[in-house]
């Protein structure tokens, strides 16, 4: 795969490692080069010429070489040891300046210091010592220091310096494996006792750990692993006649029936014929002719060693080492041909018809899908499927490494495949083609994936065993075959359990809900059989039922189709059926957003399987792949990349705007689909963070931006597919939100300047696992199906949202605010607003952002696209600290991606302008006052608390009979009926046309039911579908804060009268007035509840609060409405508290009771609850202090207010005991224990 290179990048000095150009280095005037004088005195062969090793990356602190010289695998690099080694080397050099360096020139260290290019400017021993050998120095060390190390520090050590193979990558991550070529080696005068292998590239040194003696070779190289494994894995017989659902899998699996051998090896086994994998008779005859020519040469007595090592053969070998001929072979196979390596010493003339040189290309079948012609590394990560006669089963594997030709006995590039049981095998490219699976175009689906083909093999194996009686959970050979262990002796119960858990993520009935009928049927029975076998083998307490042989119909037969409820045509279509792009979307847009070009179109790929170099190549992928990001994303953008990002965003957004605004036509939907994929996928394509390495962040972002701007779309997508498939293959483990983890995250936020956010995180209860509260989350999102007609718009577009506040909202956005499933972070939008660019295209990015926002809110954008843009990501926050054995109560918080959130925030700000003193009220506030104090009113909470308290005190002082009722609504913002909201907005806009943009915006964000996702470890992407949002406003959406007040405004105004005053702070409704008008069947309270019920809002009657100004004010209250009070007598309070604690314990015990004791436990809990209620009701009136708690303030009796303030004091500051420190001291103590500096902040 071609490597993306940025147009420009931050300079790095190759002499000292600093952030400046090498020519401006203040320490070294010339480039540091390798020392060739040290090589002749070292016998060749002490260090292997080629090394297969594991990379241990060393810190980039200027001491990388010193770290590598002192490194021990399994231990972290020690900065103190590196600094001490630097000082020791300096001491030895300065004390032995006249000693020879060990090179063939015989020069001294003094002369070398004066001559060495790296020491220019500090060429005197004193200056060199000052710059190089102080402990605190970070100056670059190199060849001279290595010579001093092997001469004075460790005389019995050989230091071998390796570089990457030509064409291989230069930068490796810690733990990466690779093959390296020897560049130079250094040893002292003594006998070599140990060897240190070091990788050097771009001025940096890393430690190399050889994998094994077999993998560390010198010339001549022993027989490769590939040859040995082929001897014990002969070609397989056909296992079953595979009929497949997915396109081109029948031929692929037929090819897997045989293991093509290498014509260049001495292997005379017969290769069975197998469909597409076979070569024709002419090709076989050519192979036989070549083999006869080779045998003639080998038996020719006149052939000499000199001829064998001819100049032409040597040059061909050099070319092979540099990868040129290997790339020719790869390019040939990508085009559907077979490449044959050169036969040294007898190449024919170009015009000879019997020519058999390296360029002889014989077609052998179809090309390799997804293979890059120029880069063998493009096959790394691809899946294979291979048959092993022992144990007689099919195994899946993955290409994990590439080994270019290095010696005469290896003529072709070898590809290492690691199988499921961690065994590995090397293959040539021709052999690899026979077992390579096509790329998983839809990695989220089981149908069509490599795993699906392997699961069908398992299904067939189990079905055959059920029929012949060999199905047994105690027979290890059979279990090894089913659980895919090549050697039964390596199979353990733990490994079996791990594989069963991994397969259950694909086979469990819950995971195959959206798959085809045949997939659900096969997966269900296979999952049952695997569980039965494992539970039988491990002697589990309960064992799944043994599969019924009569239900195991052979896949592909009519019996299987009938049992699965699938058609025969669905099981084995005559040829791949790819819907034409025009057939993917019906004419007209579905108002609910259920249409659109959602599926990818594989036909856009070239015959080789590669993507074309055009913007439309993105149609090959499902649009949901760009909506659900499995990656984490960089939070910020480097300054040097901001202008390129603005250009990329402008192009993507403008293309989408133009596609949406285009006239209706046959290509409009497809053009929108192409542009939408690019826009939706920008966070993944540009800002995905694949490994968390900050040192690569700038370069990666710049390379991706450059690829987009240069039109290298296919490479950009290929890199994305590679990274995405890696992420999808990883096992996701549930991450418990522990206290320690929250403290560390809080400290990090404090250091970044987000002190309040960090303190809230440390003091909070953390997140609940979505799997544990899934039912709660669904219950808190009620579903309504009623729809409404789209708003009627003027033709001139005069009702378009202006979004005048968009720039201000973008500049003020919180950089840590949560995002939706796409991962579009706040800084991506903020960079467009703060940037002052020289490029006109970059300067137009924010305008394109605003234009796209207008289309999103004015109903012009197709519903299916609005549905995708408005997808939300929900996070369940624990309301209380988790208690083992008790159910967690969670509060859902949902976030959308920042682009849609900012568009809605800008419109909300436009419609709620702040009025200065003396100015008339403007915006939507004037229609909602005086009842609603949460829209456009400064200090709304303070106003409602202080105003209500003054009225209460006045009525009590004048002995006026008044009551205060505080209402509570269940999930208010998530529950109101959207159709009722649309009618209310239409009615309001009829009186004030300036509110028409809000009518359009509500239709745009609410008419289609946007999906809601939660994070989950049980899905490949880490995101699990929860439900659709079909009621209420989008939680966290700024427009909900003004739409909800409009929904309840009619009910509040109807409750207003001379003697009754309703006031609200969003859904916190206060009803103040005469109890005779408020209570009663036809009273204000009953009418208000009915009006709220009509718009979908349900009251939570148990949380209502009631307060009267006189003893008889609440005499006529409904039976369900209780006066709130606290108990002033300590003994009475203790008695009631004891009864309520017993009720709480009984309720917890009922939840944890086993099924056989559930009825008894529930009855006991009900009895305890009634006893607690009776105890509270029995409190005498004289021991009650009455009041209500609203907006964080107490209203009522003085004793009630004092008690509530004392509770708040104890909560924050504690009760003075060590056991109860309070939240403030607890948070400070926890932070101080982890980081005193953060606690001081």
């Amino acid at each position: 795969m071609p490597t993306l290179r940025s147009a420009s990048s931050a300079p790095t000095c190759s002499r000292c490692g600093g952030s400046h150009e090498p020519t401006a280095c203040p320490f070294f005037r010339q480039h540091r080069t390798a020392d060739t004088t040290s090589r002749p005195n070292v016998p060749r062969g002490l260090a292997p010429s080629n090394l297969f090793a594991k990379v241990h990356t060393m810190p980039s602190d200027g001491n990388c070489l010193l770290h590598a010289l002192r490194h021990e695998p399994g231990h972290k690099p020690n900065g103190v040891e590196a600094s001490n080694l630097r000082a020791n080397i300096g001491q030895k050099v300065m004390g032995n300046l006249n000693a020879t360096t060990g090179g063939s020139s015989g020069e001294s260290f003094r002369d070398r210091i004066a001559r060495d290019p790296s020491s220019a400017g500090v060429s005197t021993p004193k200056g060199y010592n000052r710059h190089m050998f102080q402990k605190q120095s970070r100056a670059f060390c190199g060849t001279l220091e290595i010579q001093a190390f092997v001469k004075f520090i460790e005389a019995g050590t050989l230091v071998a310096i390796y570089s990457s193979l030509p064409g291989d990558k230069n930068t490796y991550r810690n733990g990466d494996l690779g093959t390296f070529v020897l560049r130079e080696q250094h040893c002292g005068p003594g006998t070599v006792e140990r060897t240190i292998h070091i990788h050097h590239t771009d001025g940096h040194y890393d430690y190399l750990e050889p994998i094994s003696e077999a993998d560390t070779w010198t010339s001549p190289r022993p027989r490769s692993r590939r040859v040995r494994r082929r001897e014990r894995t002969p070609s397989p017989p056909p296992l079953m006649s595979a009929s497949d659902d997915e396109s081109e899998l029948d031929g692929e699996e037929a090819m897997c029936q045989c293991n093509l051998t290498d014509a260049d090896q001495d292997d005379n086994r017969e290769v069975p014929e197998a469909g597409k994998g076979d070569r024709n008779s002419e090709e076989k005859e050519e192979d036989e002719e070549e083999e006869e020519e080779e045998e003639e040469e080998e038996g020719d007595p006149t052939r000499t060693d000199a001829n064998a090592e001819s100049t032409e053969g040597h040059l061909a070998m050099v070319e092979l080492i540099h990868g040129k001929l290997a790339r020719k072979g790869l390019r040939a196979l990508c085009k559907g041909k077979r490449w044959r390596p050169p036969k040294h010493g007898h190449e024919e003339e170009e015009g000879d018809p019997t020519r058999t040189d390296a360029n002889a290309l014989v077609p052998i079948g179809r090309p390799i899908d997804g293979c890059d012609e120029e880069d063998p590394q493009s096959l790394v990560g691809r899946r294979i499927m291979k048959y092993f006669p022992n144990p007689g089963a099919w195994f899946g594997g993955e290409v994990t490494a590439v080994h270019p030709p290095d010696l005469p006995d290896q003529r072709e590039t070898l590809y290492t495949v690691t199988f499921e049981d961690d065994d590995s095998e090397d293959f040539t490219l021709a052999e690899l083609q026979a077992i390579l699976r096509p790329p998983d175009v839809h990695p989220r689906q089981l149908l069509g994936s490599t795993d699906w083909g392997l699961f069908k093999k398992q299904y067939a194996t189990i079905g055959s065993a059920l029929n012949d009686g060999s199905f047994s959970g105690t027979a290890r050979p059979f279990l090894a075959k089913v659980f895919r262990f090549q050697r039964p002796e390596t199979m353990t119960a733990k490994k079996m359990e791990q594989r069963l858990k991994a397969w259950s993520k694909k086979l469990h009935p819950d995971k195959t809900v959206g798959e085809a009928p045949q997939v659900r049927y096969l997966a269900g029975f296979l999952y049952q059989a695997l569980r039965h076998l494992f539970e039988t083998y491990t002697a589990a307490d309960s064992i799944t039922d043994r599969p019924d042989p009569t239900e195991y119909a052979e896949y592909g037969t009519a019996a299987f189709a009938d049992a699965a409820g699938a058609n025969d045509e669905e099981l084995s279509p005559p040829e791949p059926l790819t819907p034409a792009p025009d057939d993917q979307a019906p004419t007209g847009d579905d108002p609910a957003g259920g249409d659109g070009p959602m599926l990818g179109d594989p036909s856009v790929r070239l015959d080789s399987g590669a993507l074309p170099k055009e913007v439309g190549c993105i149609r090959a992928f499902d649009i949901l792949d760009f909506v659900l990001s499995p990656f984490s994303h960089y939070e910020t953008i480097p300054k040097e990349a901001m202008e390129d990002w603005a250009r990329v965003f402008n192009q993507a957004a403008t293309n989408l705007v133009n596609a949406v605004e285009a006239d209706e036509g046959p290509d409009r939907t497809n053009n929108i689909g192409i542009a939408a994929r690019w826009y939706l996928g920008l966070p993944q394509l540009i800002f995905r963070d694949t490994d968390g390495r900050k040192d690569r962040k700038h370069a990666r972002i710049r390379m991706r931006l450059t690829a987009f701007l240069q039109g290298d779309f296919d490479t950009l997508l290929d890199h994305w597919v590679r990274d995405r498939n890696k992420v999808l293959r990883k096992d996701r483990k549930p991450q418990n939100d522990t206290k320690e983890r929250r403290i560390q995250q809080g400290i990090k936020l404090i250091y970044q300047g987000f002190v309040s956010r960090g303190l809230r995180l440390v003091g909070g209860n953390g997140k609940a696992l979505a799997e544990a509260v899934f039912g709660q989350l669904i219950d808190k999102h009620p579903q309504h199906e009623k729809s409404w007609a789209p708003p009627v718009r003027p033709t001139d577009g005069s009702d378009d949202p202006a979004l005048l506040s968009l720039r201000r909202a973008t500049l003020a956005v919180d950089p840590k605010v949560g995002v939706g499933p796409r991962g579009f972070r706040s800084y991506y939008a903020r960079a467009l607003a703060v940037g002052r660019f020289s490029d006109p295209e970059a300067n137009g990015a924010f305008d394109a952002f605003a234009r796209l926002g207008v289309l999103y809110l004015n109903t012009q954008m197709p519903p299916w696209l609005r549905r995708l843009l408005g997808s939300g990501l929900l996070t369940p926050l624990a309301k209380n600290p988790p208690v083992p054995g008790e159910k967690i109560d969670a509060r859902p918080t949902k976030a959308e991606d920042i682009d849609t959130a900012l568009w809605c925030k800008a419109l909300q700000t436009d419609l709620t302008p702040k009025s200065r003193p003396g100015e008339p009220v403007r915006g939507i506030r004037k229609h909602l006052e005086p009842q609603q104090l949460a829209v456009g009113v400064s200090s709304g909470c303070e106003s409602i608390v202080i105003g209500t308290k003054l009225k209460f005190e006045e009525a009590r002082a004048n002995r006026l009979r008044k009551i205060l009722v505080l209402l509570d609504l269940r999930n208010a913002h998530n529950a109101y009926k959207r159709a009722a909201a649309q009618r209310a907005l239409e009615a309001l806009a009829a009186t004030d046309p300036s509110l028409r943009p809000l009518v359009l915006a509500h239709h745009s964000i609410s008419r289609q039911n946007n999906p809601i996702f939660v994070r989950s470890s049980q899905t490949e992407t880490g995101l699990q579908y929860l439900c659709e949002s079909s009621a209420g406003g989008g939680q966290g959406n700024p427009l909900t804060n003004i739409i909800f007040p409009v929904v309840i405004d009619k009910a509040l105004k109807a409750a207003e009268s001379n003697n009754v005053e309703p006031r609200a702070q969003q859904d916190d409704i206060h009803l103040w007035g005469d109890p005779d008008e408020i209570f009663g069947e036809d009273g204000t309270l009953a009418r208000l509840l009915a009006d709220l019920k009509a718009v979908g809002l349900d009251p939570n009657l148990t949380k209502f609060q009631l307060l009267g100004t006189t003893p008889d004010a609440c005499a006529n209250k409904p039976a369900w409405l209780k006066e709130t009070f606290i108990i002033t007598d300590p003994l009475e309070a203790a008695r009631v508290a004891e009864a309520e604690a017993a009720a709480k314990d009984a309720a917890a015990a009922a939840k944890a009771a086993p099924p056989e004791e559930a009825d008894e436990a529930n009855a006991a809990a009900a009895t305890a609850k009634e006893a607690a209620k009776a105890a509270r009701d029995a409190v005498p009136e004289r021991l009650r202090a009455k009041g209500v708690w609203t907006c964080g303030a107490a209203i009522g009796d003085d004793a009630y207010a004092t008690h509530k303030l004392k509770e708040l004091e104890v909560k924050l500051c504690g009760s003075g005991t060590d056991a109860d420190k309070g939240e403030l001291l607890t948070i400070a103590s926890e932070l101080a224990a982890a980081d005193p500096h953060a606690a001081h902040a």
Side-chain angles (χ1 to χ4, degrees), residues 244-246 249 442 445-449 452 515-516 518-519 555:
D244 245 304
D245 317 49
E246 54 273 17
L249 282 187
H442 307 299
Q445 298 177 356
L446 183 57
L447 183 65
S449 66
W452 173 238
E515 296 282 358
Q518 64 269 29
V519 176
Y555 184 86

Side-chain angles (χ1 to χ4, degrees), residues 636-693:
T636 59
I637 305 174
K639 288 186 177 180
E640 61 270 18
M642 287 174 63
E643 184 161 314
D644 284 346
W645 160 241
R647 292 178 59 198
V648 169
F649 182 89
N650 191 6
Q651 291 184 21
T654 300
N655 289 341
L656 184 54
V657 168
N658 294 338
V660 171
E661 292 180 339
D663 295 335
E664 290 290 342
D667 296 329
R668 179 176 182 267
T669 298
N670 292 318
N671 291 337
I672 294 177
I674 293 173
R677 282 171 168 83
W678 283 114
Y679 181 83
L680 294 168
L682 282 178
Q684 294 186 59
L685 296 174
I686 306 299
F687 299 115
R688 66 184 181 276
D689 183 4
T690 56
D691 53 15
R693 294 189 58 173

Side-chain angles (χ1 to χ4, degrees), residues 977-1167:
K977 296 179 179 179
R978 293 179 175 178
Q982 188 71 14
R983 290 194 299 269
L985 292 171
E986 290 276 9
L988 199 60
T991 63
D992 186 355
S994 66
L995 299 180
R996 287 295 301 173
L998 184 58
V999 176
L1000 303 180
H1002 178 261
H1003 179 86
S1004 295
I1005 66 175
S1006 303
R1007 175 59 184 86
Q1008 68 284 341
N1009 299 334
N1010 298 341
I1012 300 175
F1013 300 89
V1014 294
R1015 299 196 183 278
S1016 173
S1017 60
Q1018 299 180 358
T1019 61
E1020 290 180 323
T1021 61
L1023 300 174
Q1024 183 173 356
Y1025 172 80
L1026 176 70
C1027 64
E1028 289 188 342
S1029 174
S1030 63
Q1035 189 182 32
N1037 191 307
L1039 288 178
T1040 303
N1041 293 331
I1042 59 177
I1043 294 174
F1044 176 81
V1046 173
V1047 174
I1048 66 174
D1049 183 65
K1050 183 178 179 181
L1052 294 179
K1053 283 182 167 50
E1056 185 88 23
S1057 68
N1058 292 333
N1059 297 320
V1060 179
E1061 292 183 3
R1063 296 294 181 266
Q1065 176 72 21
Q1066 285 293 335
D1067 58 331
D1068 294 331
I1069 301 176
H1070 299 64
L1071 205 57
W1072 167 265
D1074 187 350
D1076 294 335
E1077 290 193 24
I1078 294 176
F1079 295 144
E1081 293 183 0
D1082 195 30
T1084 304
L1085 178 59
R1087 295 197 311 270
L1088 178 59
L1089 293 179
D1091 291 341
L1092 295 175
K1093 184 76 172 179
V1095 295
L1097 298 174
D1098 293 327
N1100 188 356
L1101 301 179
T1102 60
K1103 292 187 177 182
F1104 277 40
Q1105 300 181 66
L1106 174 63
L1107 175 64
T1109 58
T1110 62
D1112 62 339
C1114 302
N1116 298 325
K1117 68 178 181 65
W1120 54 265
L1121 184 58
K1122 302 296 183 180
E1123 292 182 85
T1124 50
F1125 65 89
I1126 59 99
I1127 305 172
T1128 57
D1129 181 66
L1131 295 178
E1132 188 70 13
R1135 181 183 66 83
V1136 175
E1138 182 180 359
E1140 292 177 343
K1144 183 178 180 181
D1145 292 341
K1151 291 181 179 179
E1156 61 273 11
E1157 302 175 5
D1159 294 339
E1160 183 179 354
N1162 290 331
T1167 302

Side-chain angles (χ1 to χ4, degrees), residues 392-405:
W394 292 85
F395 283 77
E398 180 178 317
V399 181
T400 56
V402 178
H403 307 287

